[in-house]
Amino acid sequence: MKRLLLPLVLLLAFTAEAQVKEKKIRKYAETIKAKELNKKLSIIASAEMEGRETATEGQRKAAAYIENKFKEFGLQPGNGNSYQQVYPLYQDSITSQSLMINGAVLDVMKDYYLDASSATGNWTINNIYFTGTGMIDTTIDVKDKWVLTDEGRFAVLRSKIGWLRRNKAKGVIVVSKGLPAKERFNPKGRMSLQPASNNGFPYLTVSFSAASKLLNTQIDSAALSQLIKKDYSVDAAFNVVKTTLKLESTNVVGVLPGTDKTDEYVFVTAHYDHIGKTADGVINYGADDDGSGTTSVLQIAEAFAKAKKKGHGPRRTMVFMTVSGEEKGLLGSEYYSEHPLFPLDKTSVDLNIDMVGRIDPKYKGDSLNYVFVIGDDKLSSDLKPITDSINKTYMSMELDRRYNDVNDPNRFYYRSDHYNFAKKGVPIIFYFNGTHADYHRPTDTIEKINFKLMEKRAKLVFYTAWEIANRDGMLKRDIPLNVPAR
Ligand SMILES: [Zn+2]
């Protein structure tokens, strides 16, 4: 009896202490309320933000709103005395172009389309080699030749274009059934972090009607597949002039300093940009993508800041970062990972939230109590047990890990900002609700958000961040990132 007494007292004391601790954490988690999430999202996904396209006024308004919230919570600026990390963006824009075949001027979008990544210049084409449809016979010599090919499947086309470039073809004309097209010509190319060099490749897409004029014979897709692979004499000229637009955007960073492990960091991230307006000026509100994640980051930051004010601040430094450029190719997070404000080897984890306000209509299971958890089986063997025990203690949600497989055809592991942390070796978890019909459409609006479910998901992230910020060690990095590049 006596021998048992001491451990029992200790056990009871320990359990009591754990319960007090648990109660305290729950108190701060309870400040993450559906009503509060709704209030913030109604601003982020409002018409005033114009769909938050990177390098537009709408994105800057969203950044200013987030910065003000971080200040209001009492977070410190993450970039010296600024809450914003500015980064440059470059975008090629076509200022003039023309295509003539047999002396006649053709119409853009009706007869032809020029990709903004195409090289600039003036070309006269007197001879063109037709490769046949589908894959190219790689024994042919295309050096200094203009090449005509079919569009076909995107993956095949991409590999053909790559092969033609590597083998020094002069340029390519692709015959596409996508022309004539209804939409207007968009002179702007992709944004990128570096200015594009003009070693680009002239790359022209033409309609079957334009191809018929070019070859002086009627061409449809059946005729194209029968056409002999050889050089053809043609009379064509095209001209393209571009300018490079220099733009900028920002990541918004708020910091809550830790108490005793101040030089170690826990990141909670989301992207605040979206895709702006459609060609016809209709706003893509991006309430779920990723207004929901941005709002969750704000609410989690507020909960941590409240805890700190009551003397329960986290041991590690919390960094709350909302990035832009995600929809342009994860550019804001890529810039961050190349220009980190805090050492990446001291960054214990990135918890990235991208789309947590909706229900995947195909979800089989408790659709009011689930989240897809992606990446917690990689980089650190600490992550999954933490997620599971936190969920068991506090949330009891269905954690669906089906997308953890890097060979999953959806490739979600590569498709949000956590990827840029993971590729630098920082353990990550990506929280996600799956897709739905309103994805990247003007109908991704706030009315369709399930705030009760979003609250649960944000709480799960909060508890996980709390645990990782307060445990004795950083997450160990004991699993190599054995996945192909994006
Ligand atoms: Zn997104």
PDB file of all heavy atoms in Angstrom, residues 159-193:
ATOM      1  N   SER A 159       5.822  18.007 -74.252  1.00  0.00           N
ATOM      2  CA  SER A 159       7.088  17.293 -74.458  1.00  0.00           C
ATOM      3  C   SER A 159       7.608  17.519 -75.883  1.00  0.00           C
ATOM      4  O   SER A 159       8.810  17.610 -76.107  1.00  0.00           O
ATOM      5  CB  SER A 159       6.961  15.815 -74.077  1.00  0.00           C
ATOM      6  OG  SER A 159       6.560  15.061 -75.175  1.00  0.00           O
ATOM      7  N   LYS A 160       6.689  17.661 -76.858  1.00  0.00           N
ATOM      8  CA  LYS A 160       7.125  17.963 -78.235  1.00  0.00           C
ATOM      9  C   LYS A 160       7.810  19.331 -78.296  1.00  0.00           C
ATOM     10  O   LYS A 160       8.877  19.471 -78.895  1.00  0.00           O
ATOM     11  CB  LYS A 160       5.904  18.007 -79.180  1.00  0.00           C
ATOM     12  CG  LYS A 160       5.419  16.660 -79.641  1.00  0.00           C
ATOM     13  CD  LYS A 160       4.573  16.758 -80.910  1.00  0.00           C
ATOM     14  CE  LYS A 160       3.160  17.218 -80.657  1.00  0.00           C
ATOM     15  NZ  LYS A 160       2.256  16.955 -81.796  1.00  0.00           N
ATOM     16  N   ILE A 161       7.174  20.330 -77.683  1.00  0.00           N
ATOM     17  CA  ILE A 161       7.739  21.691 -77.708  1.00  0.00           C
ATOM     18  C   ILE A 161       9.120  21.693 -77.051  1.00  0.00           C
ATOM     19  O   ILE A 161      10.063  22.288 -77.565  1.00  0.00           O
ATOM     20  CB  ILE A 161       6.807  22.699 -76.967  1.00  0.00           C
ATOM     21  CG1 ILE A 161       5.401  22.698 -77.574  1.00  0.00           C
ATOM     22  CG2 ILE A 161       7.419  24.104 -76.941  1.00  0.00           C
ATOM     23  CD1 ILE A 161       5.210  23.442 -78.846  1.00  0.00           C
ATOM     24  N   GLY A 162       9.224  21.004 -75.924  1.00  0.00           N
ATOM     25  CA  GLY A 162      10.513  20.910 -75.231  1.00  0.00           C
ATOM     26  C   GLY A 162      11.578  20.282 -76.127  1.00  0.00           C
ATOM     27  O   GLY A 162      12.695  20.778 -76.226  1.00  0.00           O
ATOM     28  N   TRP A 163      11.193  19.227 -76.809  1.00  0.00           N
ATOM     29  CA  TRP A 163      12.144  18.539 -77.699  1.00  0.00           C
ATOM     30  C   TRP A 163      12.556  19.448 -78.852  1.00  0.00           C
ATOM     31  O   TRP A 163      13.739  19.531 -79.208  1.00  0.00           O
ATOM     32  CB  TRP A 163      11.512  17.241 -78.232  1.00  0.00           C
ATOM     33  CG  TRP A 163      12.498  16.428 -79.013  1.00  0.00           C
ATOM     34  CD1 TRP A 163      13.404  15.537 -78.513  1.00  0.00           C
ATOM     35  CD2 TRP A 163      12.719  16.469 -80.436  1.00  0.00           C
ATOM     36  NE1 TRP A 163      14.161  15.011 -79.522  1.00  0.00           N
ATOM     37  CE2 TRP A 163      13.765  15.568 -80.718  1.00  0.00           C
ATOM     38  CE3 TRP A 163      12.131  17.169 -81.484  1.00  0.00           C
ATOM     39  CZ2 TRP A 163      14.233  15.338 -82.012  1.00  0.00           C
ATOM     40  CZ3 TRP A 163      12.594  16.955 -82.766  1.00  0.00           C
ATOM     41  CH2 TRP A 163      13.639  16.052 -83.031  1.00  0.00           C
ATOM     42  N   LEU A 164      11.602  20.181 -79.434  1.00  0.00           N
ATOM     43  CA  LEU A 164      11.912  21.083 -80.552  1.00  0.00           C
ATOM     44  C   LEU A 164      12.872  22.191 -80.119  1.00  0.00           C
ATOM     45  O   LEU A 164      13.801  22.543 -80.836  1.00  0.00           O
ATOM     46  CB  LEU A 164      10.617  21.698 -81.111  1.00  0.00           C
ATOM     47  CG  LEU A 164       9.702  20.723 -81.868  1.00  0.00           C
ATOM     48  CD1 LEU A 164       8.350  21.386 -82.153  1.00  0.00           C
ATOM     49  CD2 LEU A 164      10.352  20.268 -83.178  1.00  0.00           C
ATOM     50  N   ARG A 165      12.627  22.716 -78.927  1.00  0.00           N
ATOM     51  CA  ARG A 165      13.515  23.776 -78.412  1.00  0.00           C
ATOM     52  C   ARG A 165      14.928  23.248 -78.219  1.00  0.00           C
ATOM     53  O   ARG A 165      15.889  23.885 -78.627  1.00  0.00           O
ATOM     54  CB  ARG A 165      13.006  24.281 -77.054  1.00  0.00           C
ATOM     55  CG  ARG A 165      11.780  25.140 -77.144  1.00  0.00           C
ATOM     56  CD  ARG A 165      11.470  25.728 -75.790  1.00  0.00           C
ATOM     57  NE  ARG A 165      12.447  26.749 -75.454  1.00  0.00           N
ATOM     58  CZ  ARG A 165      12.148  27.912 -74.882  1.00  0.00           C
ATOM     59  NH1 ARG A 165      10.911  28.193 -74.574  1.00  0.00           N
ATOM     60  NH2 ARG A 165      13.077  28.774 -74.597  1.00  0.00           N
ATOM     61  N   ARG A 166      15.014  22.082 -77.569  1.00  0.00           N
ATOM     62  CA  ARG A 166      16.335  21.513 -77.296  1.00  0.00           C
ATOM     63  C   ARG A 166      17.086  21.193 -78.585  1.00  0.00           C
ATOM     64  O   ARG A 166      18.304  21.262 -78.645  1.00  0.00           O
ATOM     65  CB  ARG A 166      16.216  20.241 -76.442  1.00  0.00           C
ATOM     66  CG  ARG A 166      15.850  20.501 -74.991  1.00  0.00           C
ATOM     67  CD  ARG A 166      16.054  19.259 -74.137  1.00  0.00           C
ATOM     68  NE  ARG A 166      15.278  18.110 -74.576  1.00  0.00           N
ATOM     69  CZ  ARG A 166      13.987  17.921 -74.307  1.00  0.00           C
ATOM     70  NH1 ARG A 166      13.317  18.818 -73.592  1.00  0.00           N
ATOM     71  NH2 ARG A 166      13.358  16.851 -74.737  1.00  0.00           N
ATOM     72  N   ASN A 167      16.336  20.852 -79.624  1.00  0.00           N
ATOM     73  CA  ASN A 167      16.975  20.490 -80.885  1.00  0.00           C
ATOM     74  C   ASN A 167      17.035  21.663 -81.858  1.00  0.00           C
ATOM     75  O   ASN A 167      17.218  21.471 -83.060  1.00  0.00           O
ATOM     76  CB  ASN A 167      16.285  19.267 -81.483  1.00  0.00           C
ATOM     77  CG  ASN A 167      16.629  18.017 -80.691  1.00  0.00           C
ATOM     78  OD1 ASN A 167      17.677  17.415 -80.888  1.00  0.00           O
ATOM     79  ND2 ASN A 167      15.778  17.668 -79.729  1.00  0.00           N
ATOM     80  N   LYS A 168      16.898  22.873 -81.289  1.00  0.00           N
ATOM     81  CA  LYS A 168      17.177  24.118 -82.012  1.00  0.00           C
ATOM     82  C   LYS A 168      16.297  24.371 -83.231  1.00  0.00           C
ATOM     83  O   LYS A 168      16.755  24.941 -84.230  1.00  0.00           O
ATOM     84  CB  LYS A 168      18.665  24.174 -82.439  1.00  0.00           C
ATOM     85  CG  LYS A 168      19.677  23.912 -81.316  1.00  0.00           C
ATOM     86  CD  LYS A 168      20.209  25.209 -80.785  1.00  0.00           C
ATOM     87  CE  LYS A 168      21.315  25.074 -79.766  1.00  0.00           C
ATOM     88  NZ  LYS A 168      21.126  24.132 -78.679  1.00  0.00           N
ATOM     89  N   ALA A 169      15.066  23.927 -83.178  1.00  0.00           N
ATOM     90  CA  ALA A 169      14.128  24.332 -84.234  1.00  0.00           C
ATOM     91  C   ALA A 169      13.998  25.851 -84.166  1.00  0.00           C
ATOM     92  O   ALA A 169      14.216  26.462 -83.119  1.00  0.00           O
ATOM     93  CB  ALA A 169      12.775  23.663 -84.018  1.00  0.00           C
ATOM     94  N   LYS A 170      13.644  26.469 -85.300  1.00  0.00           N
ATOM     95  CA  LYS A 170      13.559  27.925 -85.334  1.00  0.00           C
ATOM     96  C   LYS A 170      12.286  28.409 -84.645  1.00  0.00           C
ATOM     97  O   LYS A 170      12.279  29.456 -83.993  1.00  0.00           O
ATOM     98  CB  LYS A 170      13.574  28.377 -86.801  1.00  0.00           C
ATOM     99  CG  LYS A 170      14.029  29.805 -86.976  1.00  0.00           C
ATOM    100  CD  LYS A 170      14.173  30.142 -88.443  1.00  0.00           C
ATOM    101  CE  LYS A 170      15.622  30.336 -88.829  1.00  0.00           C
ATOM    102  NZ  LYS A 170      15.791  30.553 -90.272  1.00  0.00           N
ATOM    103  N   GLY A 171      11.214  27.659 -84.798  1.00  0.00           N
ATOM    104  CA  GLY A 171       9.944  28.037 -84.184  1.00  0.00           C
ATOM    105  C   GLY A 171       8.918  26.974 -84.491  1.00  0.00           C
ATOM    106  O   GLY A 171       9.194  26.047 -85.264  1.00  0.00           O
ATOM    107  N   VAL A 172       7.739  27.109 -83.870  1.00  0.00           N
ATOM    108  CA  VAL A 172       6.727  26.077 -84.081  1.00  0.00           C
ATOM    109  C   VAL A 172       5.358  26.705 -84.339  1.00  0.00           C
ATOM    110  O   VAL A 172       5.016  27.735 -83.761  1.00  0.00           O
ATOM    111  CB  VAL A 172       6.671  25.083 -82.886  1.00  0.00           C
ATOM    112  CG1 VAL A 172       6.214  25.767 -81.604  1.00  0.00           C
ATOM    113  CG2 VAL A 172       5.779  23.883 -83.191  1.00  0.00           C
ATOM    114  N   ILE A 173       4.625  26.090 -85.245  1.00  0.00           N
ATOM    115  CA  ILE A 173       3.227  26.444 -85.467  1.00  0.00           C
ATOM    116  C   ILE A 173       2.396  25.209 -85.123  1.00  0.00           C
ATOM    117  O   ILE A 173       2.652  24.114 -85.646  1.00  0.00           O
ATOM    118  CB  ILE A 173       2.977  26.901 -86.918  1.00  0.00           C
ATOM    119  CG1 ILE A 173       3.788  28.189 -87.195  1.00  0.00           C
ATOM    120  CG2 ILE A 173       1.487  27.127 -87.160  1.00  0.00           C
ATOM    121  CD1 ILE A 173       3.604  28.756 -88.591  1.00  0.00           C
ATOM    122  N   VAL A 174       1.454  25.406 -84.206  1.00  0.00           N
ATOM    123  CA  VAL A 174       0.643  24.298 -83.712  1.00  0.00           C
ATOM    124  C   VAL A 174      -0.776  24.457 -84.255  1.00  0.00           C
ATOM    125  O   VAL A 174      -1.382  25.521 -84.105  1.00  0.00           O
ATOM    126  CB  VAL A 174       0.619  24.318 -82.161  1.00  0.00           C
ATOM    127  CG1 VAL A 174      -0.299  23.234 -81.626  1.00  0.00           C
ATOM    128  CG2 VAL A 174       2.028  24.145 -81.607  1.00  0.00           C
ATOM    129  N   VAL A 175      -1.298  23.418 -84.879  1.00  0.00           N
ATOM    130  CA  VAL A 175      -2.669  23.473 -85.400  1.00  0.00           C
ATOM    131  C   VAL A 175      -3.627  23.001 -84.307  1.00  0.00           C
ATOM    132  O   VAL A 175      -3.474  21.900 -83.767  1.00  0.00           O
ATOM    133  CB  VAL A 175      -2.838  22.575 -86.642  1.00  0.00           C
ATOM    134  CG1 VAL A 175      -4.219  22.794 -87.256  1.00  0.00           C
ATOM    135  CG2 VAL A 175      -1.749  22.859 -87.666  1.00  0.00           C
ATOM    136  N   SER A 176      -4.602  23.872 -83.980  1.00  0.00           N
ATOM    137  CA  SER A 176      -5.476  23.593 -82.841  1.00  0.00           C
ATOM    138  C   SER A 176      -6.940  23.684 -83.236  1.00  0.00           C
ATOM    139  O   SER A 176      -7.350  24.612 -83.933  1.00  0.00           O
ATOM    140  CB  SER A 176      -5.192  24.612 -81.738  1.00  0.00           C
ATOM    141  OG  SER A 176      -6.211  24.585 -80.770  1.00  0.00           O
ATOM    142  N   LYS A 177      -7.742  22.744 -82.695  1.00  0.00           N
ATOM    143  CA  LYS A 177      -9.178  22.853 -82.926  1.00  0.00           C
ATOM    144  C   LYS A 177      -9.814  23.824 -81.927  1.00  0.00           C
ATOM    145  O   LYS A 177     -11.008  24.078 -81.970  1.00  0.00           O
ATOM    146  CB  LYS A 177      -9.842  21.476 -82.925  1.00  0.00           C
ATOM    147  CG  LYS A 177      -9.689  20.648 -81.663  1.00  0.00           C
ATOM    148  CD  LYS A 177     -10.507  19.360 -81.828  1.00  0.00           C
ATOM    149  CE  LYS A 177     -10.638  18.577 -80.549  1.00  0.00           C
ATOM    150  NZ  LYS A 177      -9.445  17.843 -80.148  1.00  0.00           N
ATOM    151  N   GLY A 178      -8.988  24.366 -81.015  1.00  0.00           N
ATOM    152  CA  GLY A 178      -9.470  25.365 -80.038  1.00  0.00           C
ATOM    153  C   GLY A 178      -9.708  26.740 -80.658  1.00  0.00           C
ATOM    154  O   GLY A 178     -10.256  27.625 -79.998  1.00  0.00           O
ATOM    155  N   LEU A 179      -9.298  26.910 -81.905  1.00  0.00           N
ATOM    156  CA  LEU A 179      -9.509  28.194 -82.595  1.00  0.00           C
ATOM    157  C   LEU A 179     -10.494  27.978 -83.746  1.00  0.00           C
ATOM    158  O   LEU A 179     -10.451  26.935 -84.374  1.00  0.00           O
ATOM    159  CB  LEU A 179      -8.180  28.733 -83.138  1.00  0.00           C
ATOM    160  CG  LEU A 179      -7.198  29.268 -82.086  1.00  0.00           C
ATOM    161  CD1 LEU A 179      -5.853  29.574 -82.743  1.00  0.00           C
ATOM    162  CD2 LEU A 179      -7.741  30.500 -81.394  1.00  0.00           C
ATOM    163  N   PRO A 180     -11.333  28.965 -84.090  1.00  0.00           N
ATOM    164  CA  PRO A 180     -11.490  30.251 -83.426  1.00  0.00           C
ATOM    165  C   PRO A 180     -12.012  30.109 -81.989  1.00  0.00           C
ATOM    166  O   PRO A 180     -12.784  29.197 -81.702  1.00  0.00           O
ATOM    167  CB  PRO A 180     -12.519  30.989 -84.296  1.00  0.00           C
ATOM    168  CG  PRO A 180     -13.159  29.955 -85.145  1.00  0.00           C
ATOM    169  CD  PRO A 180     -12.255  28.800 -85.237  1.00  0.00           C
ATOM    170  N   ALA A 181     -11.572  31.036 -81.107  1.00  0.00           N
ATOM    171  CA  ALA A 181     -11.973  30.995 -79.703  1.00  0.00           C
ATOM    172  C   ALA A 181     -12.905  32.154 -79.395  1.00  0.00           C
ATOM    173  O   ALA A 181     -12.835  33.195 -80.031  1.00  0.00           O
ATOM    174  CB  ALA A 181     -10.735  31.071 -78.815  1.00  0.00           C
ATOM    175  N   LYS A 182     -13.764  31.932 -78.386  1.00  0.00           N
ATOM    176  CA  LYS A 182     -14.731  32.970 -78.005  1.00  0.00           C
ATOM    177  C   LYS A 182     -14.083  34.079 -77.195  1.00  0.00           C
ATOM    178  O   LYS A 182     -14.419  35.248 -77.345  1.00  0.00           O
ATOM    179  CB  LYS A 182     -15.858  32.337 -77.183  1.00  0.00           C
ATOM    180  CG  LYS A 182     -16.963  31.744 -78.034  1.00  0.00           C
ATOM    181  CD  LYS A 182     -18.214  31.548 -77.189  1.00  0.00           C
ATOM    182  CE  LYS A 182     -19.084  30.415 -77.721  1.00  0.00           C
ATOM    183  NZ  LYS A 182     -18.723  29.088 -77.185  1.00  0.00           N
ATOM    184  N   GLU A 183     -13.152  33.727 -76.311  1.00  0.00           N
ATOM    185  CA  GLU A 183     -12.628  34.750 -75.405  1.00  0.00           C
ATOM    186  C   GLU A 183     -11.728  35.741 -76.136  1.00  0.00           C
ATOM    187  O   GLU A 183     -11.218  35.459 -77.215  1.00  0.00           O
ATOM    188  CB  GLU A 183     -11.895  34.125 -74.208  1.00  0.00           C
ATOM    189  CG  GLU A 183     -10.618  33.399 -74.546  1.00  0.00           C
ATOM    190  CD  GLU A 183     -10.844  31.907 -74.704  1.00  0.00           C
ATOM    191  OE1 GLU A 183     -11.906  31.500 -75.227  1.00  0.00           O
ATOM    192  OE2 GLU A 183      -9.951  31.146 -74.322  1.00  0.00           O
ATOM    193  N   ARG A 184     -11.577  36.901 -75.506  1.00  0.00           N
ATOM    194  CA  ARG A 184     -10.709  37.918 -76.082  1.00  0.00           C
ATOM    195  C   ARG A 184      -9.240  37.544 -75.887  1.00  0.00           C
ATOM    196  O   ARG A 184      -8.908  36.754 -75.006  1.00  0.00           O
ATOM    197  CB  ARG A 184     -10.974  39.261 -75.391  1.00  0.00           C
ATOM    198  CG  ARG A 184     -12.120  40.017 -76.034  1.00  0.00           C
ATOM    199  CD  ARG A 184     -12.573  41.124 -75.131  1.00  0.00           C
ATOM    200  NE  ARG A 184     -13.277  40.581 -73.964  1.00  0.00           N
ATOM    201  CZ  ARG A 184     -13.800  41.326 -73.012  1.00  0.00           C
ATOM    202  NH1 ARG A 184     -13.681  42.613 -73.053  1.00  0.00           N
ATOM    203  NH2 ARG A 184     -14.432  40.765 -72.003  1.00  0.00           N
ATOM    204  N   PHE A 185      -8.394  38.148 -76.673  1.00  0.00           N
ATOM    205  CA  PHE A 185      -6.969  37.868 -76.551  1.00  0.00           C
ATOM    206  C   PHE A 185      -6.429  38.475 -75.259  1.00  0.00           C
ATOM    207  O   PHE A 185      -6.671  39.640 -74.970  1.00  0.00           O
ATOM    208  CB  PHE A 185      -6.209  38.453 -77.749  1.00  0.00           C
ATOM    209  CG  PHE A 185      -4.734  38.191 -77.675  1.00  0.00           C
ATOM    210  CD1 PHE A 185      -4.242  36.915 -77.845  1.00  0.00           C
ATOM    211  CD2 PHE A 185      -3.847  39.221 -77.396  1.00  0.00           C
ATOM    212  CE1 PHE A 185      -2.878  36.658 -77.761  1.00  0.00           C
ATOM    213  CE2 PHE A 185      -2.485  38.978 -77.315  1.00  0.00           C
ATOM    214  CZ  PHE A 185      -2.007  37.685 -77.496  1.00  0.00           C
ATOM    215  N   ASN A 186      -5.727  37.685 -74.491  1.00  0.00           N
ATOM    216  CA  ASN A 186      -5.094  38.189 -73.280  1.00  0.00           C
ATOM    217  C   ASN A 186      -3.615  38.417 -73.576  1.00  0.00           C
ATOM    218  O   ASN A 186      -2.874  37.471 -73.775  1.00  0.00           O
ATOM    219  CB  ASN A 186      -5.269  37.163 -72.148  1.00  0.00           C
ATOM    220  CG  ASN A 186      -4.596  37.624 -70.873  1.00  0.00           C
ATOM    221  OD1 ASN A 186      -4.060  38.736 -70.807  1.00  0.00           O
ATOM    222  ND2 ASN A 186      -4.604  36.770 -69.867  1.00  0.00           N
ATOM    223  N   PRO A 187      -3.199  39.694 -73.636  1.00  0.00           N
ATOM    224  CA  PRO A 187      -1.814  39.963 -74.029  1.00  0.00           C
ATOM    225  C   PRO A 187      -0.792  39.618 -72.956  1.00  0.00           C
ATOM    226  O   PRO A 187       0.411  39.610 -73.209  1.00  0.00           O
ATOM    227  CB  PRO A 187      -1.818  41.472 -74.297  1.00  0.00           C
ATOM    228  CG  PRO A 187      -2.908  42.008 -73.437  1.00  0.00           C
ATOM    229  CD  PRO A 187      -3.947  40.928 -73.330  1.00  0.00           C
ATOM    230  N   LYS A 188      -1.295  39.330 -71.740  1.00  0.00           N
ATOM    231  CA  LYS A 188      -0.363  39.140 -70.622  1.00  0.00           C
ATOM    232  C   LYS A 188      -0.006  37.677 -70.400  1.00  0.00           C
ATOM    233  O   LYS A 188      -0.857  36.805 -70.436  1.00  0.00           O
ATOM    234  CB  LYS A 188      -0.968  39.716 -69.345  1.00  0.00           C
ATOM    235  CG  LYS A 188      -1.015  41.231 -69.393  1.00  0.00           C
ATOM    236  CD  LYS A 188      -1.632  41.792 -68.154  1.00  0.00           C
ATOM    237  CE  LYS A 188      -1.634  43.322 -68.230  1.00  0.00           C
ATOM    238  NZ  LYS A 188      -2.419  43.891 -67.152  1.00  0.00           N
ATOM    239  N   GLY A 189       1.249  37.457 -70.139  1.00  0.00           N
ATOM    240  CA  GLY A 189       1.729  36.112 -69.879  1.00  0.00           C
ATOM    241  C   GLY A 189       1.710  35.805 -68.388  1.00  0.00           C
ATOM    242  O   GLY A 189       1.140  36.542 -67.596  1.00  0.00           O
ATOM    243  N   ARG A 190       2.344  34.714 -68.049  1.00  0.00           N
ATOM    244  CA  ARG A 190       2.421  34.300 -66.647  1.00  0.00           C
ATOM    245  C   ARG A 190       3.310  35.254 -65.860  1.00  0.00           C
ATOM    246  O   ARG A 190       4.271  35.797 -66.378  1.00  0.00           O
ATOM    247  CB  ARG A 190       3.042  32.906 -66.557  1.00  0.00           C
ATOM    248  CG  ARG A 190       2.128  31.787 -66.981  1.00  0.00           C
ATOM    249  CD  ARG A 190       2.887  30.474 -66.933  1.00  0.00           C
ATOM    250  NE  ARG A 190       3.383  30.205 -65.584  1.00  0.00           N
ATOM    251  CZ  ARG A 190       2.645  29.633 -64.625  1.00  0.00           C
ATOM    252  NH1 ARG A 190       1.412  29.264 -64.870  1.00  0.00           N
ATOM    253  NH2 ARG A 190       3.152  29.428 -63.427  1.00  0.00           N
ATOM    254  N   MET A 191       2.975  35.419 -64.580  1.00  0.00           N
ATOM    255  CA  MET A 191       3.879  36.183 -63.714  1.00  0.00           C
ATOM    256  C   MET A 191       5.001  35.259 -63.272  1.00  0.00           C
ATOM    257  O   MET A 191       4.803  34.059 -63.118  1.00  0.00           O
ATOM    258  CB  MET A 191       3.138  36.671 -62.478  1.00  0.00           C
ATOM    259  CG  MET A 191       2.170  37.786 -62.767  1.00  0.00           C
ATOM    260  SD  MET A 191       1.405  38.362 -61.252  1.00  0.00           S
ATOM    261  CE  MET A 191       0.108  39.387 -61.951  1.00  0.00           C
ATOM    262  N   SER A 192       6.181  35.866 -63.051  1.00  0.00           N
ATOM    263  CA  SER A 192       7.250  35.046 -62.490  1.00  0.00           C
ATOM    264  C   SER A 192       8.162  35.898 -61.626  1.00  0.00           C
ATOM    265  O   SER A 192       8.102  37.132 -61.671  1.00  0.00           O
ATOM    266  CB  SER A 192       8.016  34.322 -63.590  1.00  0.00           C
ATOM    267  OG  SER A 192       8.860  35.224 -64.229  1.00  0.00           O
ATOM    268  N   LEU A 193       8.983  35.220 -60.839  1.00  0.00           N
ATOM    269  CA  LEU A 193       9.859  35.939 -59.903  1.00  0.00           C
ATOM    270  C   LEU A 193      11.091  36.505 -60.597  1.00  0.00           C
ATOM    271  O   LEU A 193      11.758  37.373 -60.063  1.00  0.00           O
ATOM    272  CB  LEU A 193      10.284  35.019 -58.743  1.00  0.00           C
ATOM    273  CG  LEU A 193       9.169  34.605 -57.773  1.00  0.00           C
ATOM    274  CD1 LEU A 193       9.680  33.553 -56.800  1.00  0.00           C
ATOM    275  CD2 LEU A 193       8.619  35.797 -57.012  1.00  0.00           C
TER     276      LEU A 193
END
